[in-house]
Amino acid sequence: MSRLTLASGDDWSGIYVDGQLITEGHSFRELEIVEICIEHKVTVAEGKEVDIAWLHEQGNLPKREEQVVWA
């Protein structure tokens, strides 16, 4: 059982699975998200908003979800 978190902020998003950044970018194809879910056997998914000011300061998302500053 794996948990997927879609972290979104402004025009930037990242996909974390079990706290590890899998990919990030301006957009994701639906098939890409489905493939990640299948590969990692995702059973739980949630979407969360990133603090925009913090994200702009960082430039990109950290490798570990626990380091993200949420809105």
Side-chain angles (χ1 to χ4, degrees):
M1 178 169 114
S2 292
R3 182 181 57 86
L4 180 140
T5 303
L6 178 58
S8 300
D10 202 10
D11 68 341
W12 198 249
S13 297
I15 297 175
Y16 289 90
V17 175
D18 293 333
Q20 183 68 37
L21 183 66
I22 302 299
T23 187
E24 64 180 317
H26 290 287
S27 64
F28 302 108
R29 296 180 350 265
E30 291 87 357
L31 183 57
E32 181 179 7
I33 296 171
V34 170
E35 288 171 341
I36 289 169
C37 289
I38 291 169
E39 178 183 346
H40 294 277
K41 296 177 176 54
V42 171
T43 57
V44 177
E46 68 177 325
K48 295 172 80 174
E49 290 293 319
V50 176
D51 180 285
I52 299 299
W54 173 83
L55 183 57
H56 284 277
E57 197 174 286
Q58 297 300 307
N60 59 2
L61 292 164
K63 299 294 181 198
R64 298 288 308 156
E65 184 179 350
E66 65 195 20
Q67 298 171 316
V68 175
V69 175
W70 302 106

